[in-house]
């Protein structure tokens, strides 16, 4: 009975040591991955890597990771001839295979979401228009047009849709009569090799 108790205590201690070593190893791997990771055609203020799954050491030995979460903040990307700031980018990588001597990796699937503020979209616009939240999933676009020698400033509520998976389209639900002829198209560039933004008020 005493021998069984000693064996149980040893198993608990060794298990705790293994868990501790495993967590230290994953923390080191996450730090190294974050330091080496680069965004194509852009730079970011910070990148965080979170390797999921336990134990990590067995995944590392097999050079196969079930899931890796990546978060980048303060991304400065190119949008046409202008720069655009992406506040946050969250990417989920699944079925990740580590290549070579852990110098690279290839994911089976990748999904992500990006957060771009209205202020940053406005700054990247090719036209003098301001974008803001319009409520109920709408975007409010405010701009000025010249009609018969007069400058008119109007705001319209617009609907946002995704076209072909790589284009964000903003279309005005209704354009004020005075500006309907002048406001035919409105567009704003999006980050290179990412999404495009277009707006067609009428």
């Amino acid at each position: 009975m005493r021998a069984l108790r000693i064996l149980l205590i040893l198993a608990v201690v060794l298990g705790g040591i293994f868990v501790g070593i495993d967590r230290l190893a994953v923390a080191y791997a996450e730090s190294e991955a974050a330091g080496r990771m680069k965004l194509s055609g852009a730079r970011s203020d910070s990148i965080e890597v979170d390797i999921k799954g336990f134990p990590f050491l067995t995944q590392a030995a097999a050079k196969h990771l079930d899931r890796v979460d990546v978060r980048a903040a303060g991304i400065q990307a190119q949008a046409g001839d202008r720069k655009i700031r992406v506040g946050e980018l969250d990417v989920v990588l699944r079925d990740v295979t580590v290549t070579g001597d852990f110098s690279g990796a290839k994911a089976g699937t990748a999904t992500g979401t990006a957060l771009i503020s209205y202020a940053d979209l406005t700054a990247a616009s090719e036209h003098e228009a301001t974008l803001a939240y319009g409520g109920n999933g709408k975007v409010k676009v405010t701009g000025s047009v010249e009609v018969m020698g007069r400058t008119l400033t109007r705001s319209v509520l617009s609907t946002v849709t995704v076209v072909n998976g790589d284009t964000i389209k903003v279309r005005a639900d209704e354009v004020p009569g005075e500006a309907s002829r002048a406001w035919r198209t409105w567009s704003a560039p999006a980050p290179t090799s990412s999404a495009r933004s277009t707006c067609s008020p009428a």
Side-chain angles (χ1 to χ4, degrees), residues 127 181-187 199-202:
H127 304 277
R181 292 185 178 180
W183 275 34
R184 290 300 179 188
T185 58
W186 180 93
S187 63
C199 174
S200 303

Side-chain angles (χ1 to χ4, degrees), residues 118 131-141 156-161 169-174:
Y118 289 113
L131 282 77
Y133 180 60
N136 297 322
K138 302 289 185 179
V139 174
K140 183 172 74 173
V141 180
V156 295
L157 290 179
S158 304
T159 300
V160 181
T161 57
K169 185 175 183 180
V170 182
R171 184 178 181 84
D173 296 341
E174 184 178 353

Side-chain angles (χ1 to χ4, degrees), residues 97-131:
T97 301
V98 180
T99 58
D101 56 348
F102 293 89
S103 58
K106 182 178 180 180
T109 62
T111 58
T113 57
L115 174 63
I116 305 176
S117 70
Y118 289 113
D120 289 330
L121 280 176
T122 298
S125 172
E126 295 177 339
H127 304 277
E128 294 183 0
T130 301
L131 282 77

Side-chain angles (χ1 to χ4, degrees), residues 128-130 141-145 151-156 179 183 186:
E128 294 183 0
T130 301
V141 180
T142 302
S144 298
V145 294
T151 300
L152 303 177
T153 299
R154 295 289 185 268
S155 295
V156 295
W183 275 34
W186 180 93

Side-chain angles (χ1 to χ4, degrees), residues 6 21 33-34 58 74 81 84 87-88 99 101 104 111 128 152 156 176 180 189:
I6 293 174
I21 293 174
T58 56
D81 59 350
I84 186 170
E88 290 182 1
T99 58
D101 56 348
T111 58
E128 294 183 0
L152 303 177
V156 295
S180 61

